[in-house]
Amino acid sequence: MGGTEATDRGRAVSRKEELDELLRPDGTVLLTVECQEGVVGADSALPELAAVARKSGALTNVARLVDAAHGAGVQVIHAVAERRPDGRGSNGNARLFRAAARLPVQQHSGSTAVRVAAPIRVADEDLVVRRLHGLSPLAGTDVDALLRNLGCRTLVVTGVSANVAVPNAVFDAVNLGYTVVVPRDAIAGVPADYTPAMIRNTLALVATLATTDDLLAAWRAPRRSAAGRG
């Protein structure tokens, strides 16, 4: 029994060290996906998704991660999906886009719906990237160029939804050569039980899975490189 406990402790230490290295602030960017008022806010166009994001704690955990990133010097990028009132440039080539165009709450550019939702705090140094088309926060947007200019090696993906935009972001980031970390309690989709199944059967194959607390601990950890400066 003692040997088994020692082995388990060793694995836990090894995993923590691996996460600490992956999540070094100088090479990590935190991405929030569609955490906007018109999606997860009180007047959401998608009330079921908004309810799950709040009830599950995912939205609160995104806010905790953003606050921790600010404190640790980790760059934050907020990816927002919107459309012009005339729909110019937006997709119409899938049922999802056509259904969204008929919703009573629209993600119109400049409206309250496309503001980053509370309780997430946007700092002056955060970057907000807005897209008018597609399903992914990365494909055809400025995000990849920004990540490269920032020296990003590890991308932390959070937000909604686990049905579409989050897996799109993960796949695109992996295809572009980034290492992806997904805090599994900081993403949400519908129905609620779909998210853990998708994480287990899909995202686990391409991303490093963690919890919000794992990331908070990593960003609080002292850095050997910082200690050796001077």
Side-chain angles (χ1 to χ4, degrees), residues 39-64:
V39 176
V40 295
D43 297 318
S44 171
L46 303 165
E48 182 183 1
L49 176 60
V52 169
R54 292 178 178 275
K55 184 176 180 180
S56 68
L59 188 61
T60 297
N61 284 333
V62 174
R64 293 172 67 206

Side-chain angles (χ1 to χ4, degrees), residues 131 133-141 143 168 172 176:
R131 77 175 195 275
H133 58 83
L135 300 170
S136 170
L138 275 76
T141 73
V143 171
N168 262 271
D172 285 347
L176 289 166

Side-chain angles (χ1 to χ4, degrees), residues 138-175:
L138 275 76
T141 73
D142 291 336
V143 171
D144 180 40
L146 293 172
L147 293 177
R148 296 190 188 282
N149 289 344
L150 291 163
C152 176
R153 296 181 298 277
T154 300
L155 183 65
V156 178
V157 177
T158 66
V160 297
S161 74
N163 305 77
V164 179
V166 167
N168 262 271
V170 171
F171 295 148
D172 285 347
V174 170
N175 284 331

Side-chain angles (χ1 to χ4, degrees), residues 29-32 34-36 70 75-82 114-117 120-131 137 141-143 146 150:
V29 173
L30 171 63
L31 180 70
T32 75
E34 297 183 23
C35 293
Q36 58 203 70
H70 292 156
Q75 179 66 55
V76 178
I77 297 179
H78 305 280
V80 173
E82 58 184 47
V114 297
R115 294 179 186 168
V116 176
I120 299 168
R121 288 186 281 225
V122 180
D124 290 341
E125 64 269 23
D126 291 1
L127 298 170
V128 180
V129 177
R130 302 179 181 277
R131 77 175 195 275
T141 73
D142 291 336
V143 171
L146 293 172
L150 291 163

